[in-house]
Amino acid sequence: MQMKSVETRKSELETRRAQLVARMKQVDTELDSHDEKDWDDAAVEQEQDEVLEDLGEAAQAELRSIEAAFARIEEGEYGFCVTCGERIDEARLDLLPATPFCSTHAPGAKVRQQ
């Protein structure tokens, strides 16, 4: 597998950031657009709002990860695990381009048997 350049990864992160910002604007627009008609409609809208708020919070968390990845790019540390310093596998970066961890040190990674 050929390694992608840091510039290619940066471009992918910029694209994803733009998608997240657009999604957050849509969520805000949807949250602001409700006209409560009656109690039943209000209850349904509240449930939908909770889902939208969760989506917005997830987008904000991913944006923070992307901004941290941009900082690592500027520092020349992108693509290396912040815990052990080893290079992060290309396949992992393909799936999670903003990740700061190798698969061994990712949160929730199983401890390997020795």
Side-chain angles (χ1 to χ4, degrees):
M1 175 186 294
Q2 185 175 355
M3 289 179 49
K4 291 183 181 178
S5 71
V6 172
E7 287 304 313
T8 299
R9 294 281 184 196
K10 186 176 179 180
S11 176
E12 292 171 351
L13 288 166
E14 288 169 346
T15 299
R16 182 63 181 152
R17 178 173 55 185
Q19 292 169 342
L20 290 168
V21 168
R23 179 192 301 169
M24 289 174 61
K25 286 179 184 177
Q26 288 176 325
V27 166
D28 286 343
T29 300
E30 182 64 28
L31 286 171
D32 292 341
S33 71
H34 295 295
D35 293 326
E36 294 181 20
K37 295 169 182 62
D38 61 28
W39 192 88
D40 289 334
D41 289 341
V44 170
E45 284 182 357
Q46 182 177 355
E47 288 179 17
Q48 291 171 342
D49 287 353
E50 290 172 3
V51 170
L52 289 171
E53 288 169 358
D54 288 345
L55 287 172
E57 289 173 11
Q60 288 175 346
E62 189 174 349
L63 279 172
R64 286 190 296 274
S65 295
I66 289 171
E67 293 304 324
F70 285 136
R72 289 191 305 281
I73 288 170
E74 291 300 316
E75 296 166 1
E77 297 175 6
Y78 178 79
F80 296 92
C81 179
V82 297
T83 301
C84 68
E86 293 294 318
R87 181 169 287 285
I88 299 170
D89 185 66
E90 283 295 304
R92 181 165 172 75
L93 288 172
D94 286 343
L95 292 173
L96 303 166
T99 188
F101 302 108
C102 66
S103 58
T104 302
H105 293 105
K110 293 182 181 179
V111 177
R112 293 185 179 184
Q113 301 275 333
Q114 294 186 1

